[in-house]
Amino acid sequence: MPKDTFKQLPEEKAERIIESAADLFSERGFSRTDVAEIASRSGVAKGSIYNYFESKDDLFMYVCRDGLARWREAVYGDIDKTWDVYHQIDHMFEKGAAFAQEHPKYIRLYLNVTASGMEEYAEELTPESEGHFAIYFKSLLERGIEEGIVRSDLDIPLTSFLINSLYLMFLLSLVSRHFQIRIKEYLGMKGSLDNKADEVARRVVDLIRTLLKPMS
Amino acid sequence: MPKDTFKQLPEEKAERIIESAADLFSERGFSRTDVAEIASRSGVAKGSIYNYFESKDDLFMYVCRDGLARWREAVYGDIDKTWDVYHQIDHMFEKGAAFAQEHPKYIRLYLNVTASGMEEYAEELTPESEGHFAIYFKSLLERGIEEGIVRSDLDIPLTSFLINSLYLMFLLSLVSRHFQIRIKEYLGMKGSLDNKADEVARRVVDLIRTLLKPMS
Amino acid sequence: MPKDTFKQLPEEKAERIIESAADLFSERGFSRTDVAEIASRSGVAKGSIYNYFESKDDLFMYVCRDGLARWREAVYGDIDKTWDVYHQIDHMFEKGAAFAQEHPKYIRLYLNVTASGMEEYAEELTPESEGHFAIYFKSLLERGIEEGIVRSDLDIPLTSFLINSLYLMFLLSLVSRHFQIRIKEYLGMKGSLDNKADEVARRVVDLIRTLLKPMS
Amino acid sequence: MPKDTFKQLPEEKAERIIESAADLFSERGFSRTDVAEIASRSGVAKGSIYNYFESKDDLFMYVCRDGLARWREAVYGDIDKTWDVYHQIDHMFEKGAAFAQEHPKYIRLYLNVTASGMEEYAEELTPESEGHFAIYFKSLLERGIEEGIVRSDLDIPLTSFLINSLYLMFLLSLVSRHFQIRIKEYLGMKGSLDNKADEVARRVVDLIRTLLKPMS
DNA sequence: AATGAATGAGGATTCATTCAT
DNA sequence: TATGAATGAATCCTCATTCAT
């Protein structure tokens, strides 16, 4: 947890630190990131970082948690719960893609938490970040079934898991070299993915709709 | 690339080195792994590691490539191409689960390649490891459609991507703390996942079958 | 030398600072003591310490000098110069023991001044703290000889040195782990020294008397 | 405890490290001593120090223990147990003075162990270094009494303590600024003590003899 | 005068890699 | 070829001191 001094910081300065830290952690991973560089990039002294955070670990945890919250907010923030399931999923993919392209670093942080040797962080962050989604998707599907726009013979929890997995893989494809190469292998794409993100998003949502909708 | 001296090593010794390295890289990640410890665990001198490999990077790359190959072999090695698509997918999940439980380290290595700062490795390894799967899944689906057991209104490349994503998420759930917590959130499970791996595998395959089979 | 601001401080606040500083310096030594902790323990701001003292060195010096003065006062404060030499020595040991047990920190500070790298402090403090004793003991012995209760064949300065050395070693044994272990080795004692301090003091004074009194 | 690598070092190199470490620790104390400087002074790389010792603590402990052993050896090494008590004490003071003048650092290390915050070291080293002396002095006095050259009305353990205290104070006076100033206050000396060490030693031994010998 | 945030030099320790034996 | 000691750059964190409020 950040120290009180961090909370009292001018927002602009705090933001600079978080940005630099997120940049570096997401580019290089936890171990390869140097606290001194975070400091110099954000224009504060090395010692100051330790006035704000207990340790590099503490800073990392804060940055991850903060990044994941921004991600959630960007995606869910302006969702209208009255929309139908496909509309909401479509919105999530669209907003997710926009967020991934604007702030790839916050999504890359996700990969830091999944990495080997980061179990300690996962233990704390994963339930926070995934719990919401799990409940959200499940209730979305249930309502869809009630409304007759989702087939009723599905294993709901697993279908939620499926949708989220697709969602995750899609976003990671926009921010991680590995997942980018991977998706291009599957979709037979060449060149940058960036200008096709929306198109791919639409295809994914279409596929989901095709698979979920009741048989006519 | 390993040096020639490595290739001339007694198989048993080479294996000991690869095992120790895979153990450590998969538990701690690249940066946190100490070459000296790999050496001592495998009973060779630290200097010897540098007789066999150009650098820690080189060793890491070799270990990852080797681990991914073992994974592929375990899953595809004894597949019968005449089986139908659902049978083959079922086999993949079953073998995959067994492999993940017997050699979690080789699957954890996958996460190392996806991590931040590992782009250099992804660049080389990802095409090798994912290319196979992509082609394999696509041809599987195409044959399924021809045989009339897979609905024909699907976006084949994307459906391949979907199946592989589910497959990946399932296996990662067996070996990574993050993905384990995540899947348990979705499936509402408590306690260890290990003794329910087969059950979950079956559920996933069932879902895939439900979604893919043509509407009656 | 403390700044003027320190002298104008409410006595209670000044005392709190001195106490905390003496506590910490005496427990951890100069280098291992953190100015910030002195401040927080005495309930003042870190910056305030620097309003009162030029530097950590300055504070340390003041605390040592003050502590040694308290020690002197406790031991000599209520001595009656008309008592005979043995009575006065007995009183010194008794009061010294009581002081050592009540305020071990002030005696531990002595050890900080004797330590390596502390020559600068010794240069200033030692003459102040030892000068008194030297003169005092010598005149005490001289009077004892005149009165015929101390043998006249002694090397007076050296005998003063001897008595003070014993005195010092006795008190240090009450406050320093090293000297405590040491005296227990010599006296064959087990367990805590604290409840036997008076007894040992008496034995030491007895020995001094035995050695110094004229042959009958 | 030093690592095996240290034990395998050429004696000359090991000696250089011990010397530099003893020099610095004894001049500046533990905390103020920089491992990097020990390394550079002994002409080895900083990292090498950590090949030889677990930590700065470990090195410090080794150096202290080694120094105290050298001191003991210098003083006791060539003592003839058939000599009478005064002869042996005389020899100890003489050799002790010579050692203190030749290798003041090893005696200064003693002060590091007595310092605040060094209890951990005292716990281990003090029994080793003082145990010998305690037993030695007591048996010396007992034999002296049997032989009729030491008065029989003494508190033997305490007298041993007294002699050792004098011995210690005398040696510390030769190597520590504080104790040097102190002894000069008592003995009324000016200028350097060094060229008068033998004379003072003789005076101390004379005083001991005067005090201990039976009354005629 | 009081505060406590900001600073950056300093210091212990780690570890990939080299190299003499 | 095998070894493991030697190296020193890299990195986390501490802390005395300053200074703006």
Side-chain angles (χ1 to χ4, degrees):
Chain A
M1 261 197 331
K3 297 184 181 175
D4 286 342
T5 38
F6 181 71
K7 292 165 196 152
Q8 290 157 17
L9 239 39
E11 195 174 346
E12 191 259 340
K13 189 175 192 176
E15 183 63 17
R16 243 163 41 221
I17 293 169
I18 297 308
E19 285 257 318
S20 310
D23 275 340
L24 286 163
F25 283 135
S26 75
E27 275 165 28
R28 307 191 188 161
F30 179 79
S31 298
R32 294 160 107 109
T33 294
D34 182 350
V35 174
E37 194 172 353
I38 294 176
S40 70
R41 279 212 198 176
S42 32
V44 304
K46 190 174 16 156
S48 295
I49 299 290
Y50 288 90
N51 284 345
Y52 308 143
F53 298 91
E54 296 290 349
S55 60
K56 187 185 177 185
D57 268 40
D58 187 29
L59 169 58
F60 176 70
M61 187 76 92
Y62 180 80
V63 164
C64 287
R65 181 175 275 134
D66 175 74
L68 296 177
R70 289 176 195 226
W71 176 5
R72 249 194 326 272
E73 175 57 23
V75 169
Y76 288 120
D78 53 0
I79 234 167
D80 184 333
K81 301 253 178 176
T82 67
W83 294 341
D84 75 36
V85 51
Y86 301 116
H87 190 170
Q88 288 194 38
I89 288 177
D90 188 66
H91 182 269
M92 273 182 54
F93 273 80
E94 192 186 313
K95 293 288 183 176
F99 184 78
Q101 290 185 307
E102 198 172 355
H103 303 293
K105 58 179 162 237
Y106 297 122
I107 294 189
R108 276 191 202 114
L109 286 176
Y110 184 91
L111 286 172
N112 281 329
V113 179
T114 70
S116 306
M118 292 286 150
E119 288 73 16
E120 192 187 347
Y121 304 99
E123 213 67 57
E124 223 178 308
L125 294 174
T126 305
E128 292 175 23
S129 78
E130 302 282 356
H132 291 281
F133 283 72
I135 294 169
Y136 170 72
F137 279 118
K138 281 186 266 190
S139 73
L140 214 51
L141 287 175
E142 276 159 5
R143 228 191 68 209
I145 292 173
E146 283 170 22
E147 294 171 351
I149 57 174
V150 170
R151 52 198 287 186
S152 58
D153 60 344
L154 295 176
D155 180 333
I156 293 181
L158 206 54
T159 306
S160 303
F161 179 77
L162 182 156
I163 296 173
N164 179 259
S165 296
L166 266 177
Y167 178 61
L168 201 53
M169 287 294 172
F170 169 61
L171 293 190
L172 293 179
S173 302
L174 297 173
V175 304
S176 139
R177 192 70 190 110
H178 165 80
F179 287 106
Q180 190 174 98
I181 298 172
R182 176 175 171 271
I183 202 172
K184 285 162 74 174
E185 294 278 352
Y186 278 92
L187 304 192
M189 300 167 67
K190 307 279 175 198
S192 167
L193 193 64
D194 278 9
N195 50 12
K196 295 182 187 146
D198 288 341
E199 180 199 324
V200 174
R202 218 173 320 115
R203 277 175 70 183
V204 177
V205 177
D206 280 345
L207 178 62
I208 292 174
R209 188 183 297 108
T210 304
L211 293 173
L212 297 194
K213 73 175 181 227
M215 308 186 180
S216 53
Chain B
M1 259 197 327
K3 298 183 180 174
D4 287 342
T5 43
F6 182 69
K7 292 164 196 154
Q8 289 158 20
L9 238 38
E11 193 175 348
E12 192 261 341
K13 190 175 191 177
E15 180 65 17
R16 247 164 36 221
I17 294 170
I18 298 308
E19 283 257 319
S20 309
D23 275 338
L24 285 164
F25 284 134
S26 76
E27 277 166 27
R28 306 192 190 159
F30 179 78
S31 297
R32 294 160 107 112
T33 293
D34 183 349
V35 174
E37 194 171 353
I38 295 176
S40 73
R41 281 213 198 174
S42 36
V44 304
K46 195 176 3 167
S48 296
I49 298 289
Y50 287 86
N51 287 341
Y52 308 144
F53 298 92
E54 295 292 348
S55 63
K56 188 185 178 184
D57 271 38
D58 185 29
L59 168 58
F60 177 69
M61 185 76 89
Y62 181 80
V63 164
C64 288
R65 180 175 277 134
D66 174 75
L68 297 177
R70 289 176 197 227
W71 176 6
R72 244 188 339 265
E73 173 58 22
V75 170
Y76 289 119
D78 52 1
I79 232 167
D80 185 332
K81 301 256 178 171
T82 67
W83 294 341
D84 75 36
V85 51
Y86 301 116
H87 190 168
Q88 288 195 37
I89 289 178
D90 189 68
H91 181 269
M92 274 182 53
F93 272 80
E94 192 185 313
K95 292 290 183 178
F99 184 76
Q101 292 185 306
E102 200 172 355
H103 303 294
K105 58 178 163 237
Y106 295 122
I107 294 188
R108 276 192 202 113
L109 286 176
Y110 184 91
L111 286 172
N112 283 329
V113 178
T114 71
S116 309
M118 292 287 150
E119 289 72 18
E120 188 188 349
Y121 305 100
E123 213 66 59
E124 222 179 309
L125 294 175
T126 307
E128 292 175 22
S129 78
E130 303 281 357
H132 291 281
F133 283 73
I135 295 169
Y136 169 73
F137 278 117
K138 281 186 266 190
S139 73
L140 215 49
L141 287 175
E142 275 159 6
R143 227 191 67 207
I145 292 173
E146 284 169 21
E147 293 170 353
I149 56 176
V150 171
R151 51 196 288 183
S152 58
D153 59 345
L154 296 176
D155 179 333
I156 292 182
L158 206 52
T159 306
S160 302
F161 180 75
L162 182 158
I163 296 172
N164 180 257
S165 295
L166 266 179
Y167 177 63
L168 201 53
M169 286 294 171
F170 168 63
L171 292 191
L172 293 179
S173 301
L174 296 174
V175 304
S176 141
R177 191 71 189 110
H178 166 80
F179 288 106
Q180 189 174 98
I181 297 172
R182 176 175 171 275
I183 202 173
K184 285 161 76 174
E185 293 280 353
Y186 279 92
L187 303 192
M189 299 168 68
K190 308 277 174 199
S192 168
L193 194 65
D194 277 10
N195 50 13
K196 293 181 187 145
D198 288 341
E199 181 198 323
V200 174
R202 218 173 318 117
R203 278 175 70 182
V204 177
V205 177
D206 280 347
L207 179 63
I208 293 174
R209 189 183 294 109
T210 303
L211 294 172
L212 296 194
K213 73 175 180 225
M215 308 187 176
S216 52
Chain C
M1 257 198 329
K3 297 182 179 176
D4 287 342
T5 44
F6 182 69
K7 291 164 197 154
Q8 290 158 20
L9 237 39
E11 193 174 349
E12 192 260 342
K13 190 175 191 176
E15 180 65 16
R16 246 166 34 222
I17 294 170
I18 298 308
E19 283 257 319
S20 309
D23 274 338
L24 285 163
F25 284 134
S26 75
E27 275 165 27
R28 308 190 189 160
F30 180 79
S31 297
R32 295 160 106 114
T33 292
D34 183 347
V35 174
E37 195 172 352
I38 294 175
S40 73
R41 280 212 198 177
S42 36
V44 304
K46 194 176 6 166
S48 296
I49 298 289
Y50 286 86
N51 287 341
Y52 308 143
F53 298 92
E54 294 292 348
S55 63
K56 187 185 179 186
D57 271 39
D58 186 29
L59 168 58
F60 177 70
M61 186 76 90
Y62 180 80
V63 164
C64 286
R65 181 176 275 133
D66 174 75
L68 296 178
R70 289 177 198 226
W71 175 6
R72 247 192 331 271
E73 173 58 22
V75 169
Y76 288 121
D78 53 359
I79 233 169
D80 184 333
K81 302 257 180 171
T82 66
W83 294 340
D84 76 36
V85 51
Y86 300 116
H87 189 169
Q88 288 195 37
I89 289 177
D90 189 67
H91 181 268
M92 276 181 52
F93 272 81
E94 193 185 314
K95 292 288 183 178
F99 184 77
Q101 290 186 306
E102 200 172 356
H103 303 295
K105 61 180 161 235
Y106 296 122
I107 294 188
R108 276 191 202 115
L109 286 176
Y110 184 90
L111 286 173
N112 282 330
V113 179
T114 70
S116 308
M118 292 287 151
E119 289 72 18
E120 190 187 348
Y121 305 98
E123 213 67 59
E124 222 178 309
L125 295 175
T126 306
E128 292 175 22
S129 79
E130 302 282 358
H132 291 280
F133 282 72
I135 294 168
Y136 169 74
F137 277 118
K138 281 188 265 190
S139 75
L140 213 53
L141 286 175
E142 276 159 6
R143 226 189 70 209
I145 292 174
E146 281 170 22
E147 292 171 354
I149 58 177
V150 170
R151 52 199 287 185
S152 56
D153 58 345
L154 296 176
D155 179 332
I156 291 181
L158 206 53
T159 306
S160 303
F161 179 77
L162 182 158
I163 295 172
N164 179 259
S165 296
L166 265 178
Y167 178 63
L168 200 53
M169 287 291 171
F170 169 62
L171 293 190
L172 293 178
S173 301
L174 296 174
V175 304
S176 140
R177 191 71 189 109
H178 166 80
F179 287 107
Q180 190 175 94
I181 297 171
R182 176 175 171 273
I183 202 173
K184 284 162 77 174
E185 293 278 352
Y186 278 93
L187 303 192
M189 298 168 69
K190 307 277 175 200
S192 166
L193 194 64
D194 277 10
N195 50 12
K196 291 181 189 146
D198 288 341
E199 181 198 323
V200 174
R202 216 173 319 117
R203 276 175 70 181
V204 177
V205 177
D206 281 346
L207 179 63
I208 292 175
R209 190 183 293 109
T210 302
L211 293 173
L212 296 194
K213 74 174 181 225
M215 310 184 178
S216 54
Chain D
M1 258 198 330
K3 298 184 181 175
D4 286 343
T5 37
F6 182 71
K7 291 167 196 152
Q8 289 157 19
L9 238 40
E11 195 173 348
E12 191 260 341
K13 190 176 193 176
E15 183 65 17
R16 243 162 42 220
I17 293 170
I18 296 308
E19 284 258 318
S20 309
D23 275 339
L24 285 163
F25 283 135
S26 75
E27 274 165 29
R28 306 191 190 163
F30 179 78
S31 298
R32 296 161 106 110
T33 294
D34 181 351
V35 174
E37 193 171 353
I38 295 176
S40 69
R41 280 212 198 174
S42 32
V44 303
K46 192 172 14 156
S48 294
I49 299 290
Y50 288 88
N51 285 344
Y52 308 144
F53 298 92
E54 296 291 349
S55 62
K56 188 184 178 186
D57 269 40
D58 187 28
L59 169 58
F60 177 69
M61 187 75 93
Y62 180 80
V63 165
C64 287
R65 182 174 273 134
D66 175 74
L68 295 177
R70 290 177 195 224
W71 177 3
R72 245 191 334 268
E73 174 57 22
V75 170
Y76 287 121
D78 53 0
I79 234 167
D80 184 333
K81 301 253 178 174
T82 65
W83 294 341
D84 75 39
V85 51
Y86 300 115
H87 189 171
Q88 288 194 38
I89 289 178
D90 188 68
H91 181 268
M92 274 180 54
F93 271 80
E94 191 185 314
K95 293 289 183 177
F99 184 77
Q101 291 186 307
E102 198 172 356
H103 303 294
K105 60 179 161 237
Y106 296 122
I107 294 188
R108 277 190 202 114
L109 286 176
Y110 185 91
L111 286 173
N112 281 330
V113 178
T114 71
S116 306
M118 292 286 150
E119 289 73 16
E120 190 187 347
Y121 305 99
E123 213 67 58
E124 222 178 309
L125 294 175
T126 306
E128 291 176 23
S129 78
E130 302 282 356
H132 291 281
F133 283 71
I135 293 169
Y136 170 74
F137 278 119
K138 281 187 264 191
S139 74
L140 214 52
L141 286 175
E142 275 159 5
R143 228 191 68 209
I145 292 174
E146 281 170 21
E147 293 172 351
I149 57 177
V150 171
R151 52 198 287 183
S152 57
D153 59 346
L154 295 176
D155 180 333
I156 292 180
L158 206 55
T159 306
S160 303
F161 180 75
L162 181 157
I163 296 173
N164 180 259
S165 296
L166 267 178
Y167 177 62
L168 200 52
M169 287 293 171
F170 168 62
L171 292 191
L172 293 178
S173 302
L174 296 174
V175 304
S176 141
R177 192 70 190 109
H178 165 81
F179 288 106
Q180 189 174 97
I181 298 172
R182 176 174 171 272
I183 202 172
K184 284 161 77 174
E185 293 279 351
Y186 279 92
L187 303 192
M189 298 167 69
K190 307 281 176 196
S192 166
L193 193 66
D194 277 10
N195 51 12
K196 293 180 188 148
D198 288 341
E199 180 199 322
V200 175
R202 217 173 319 115
R203 275 175 71 182
V204 177
V205 177
D206 280 345
L207 178 62
I208 292 174
R209 189 184 294 108
T210 303
L211 293 173
L212 297 194
K213 73 173 182 229
M215 310 189 174
S216 53

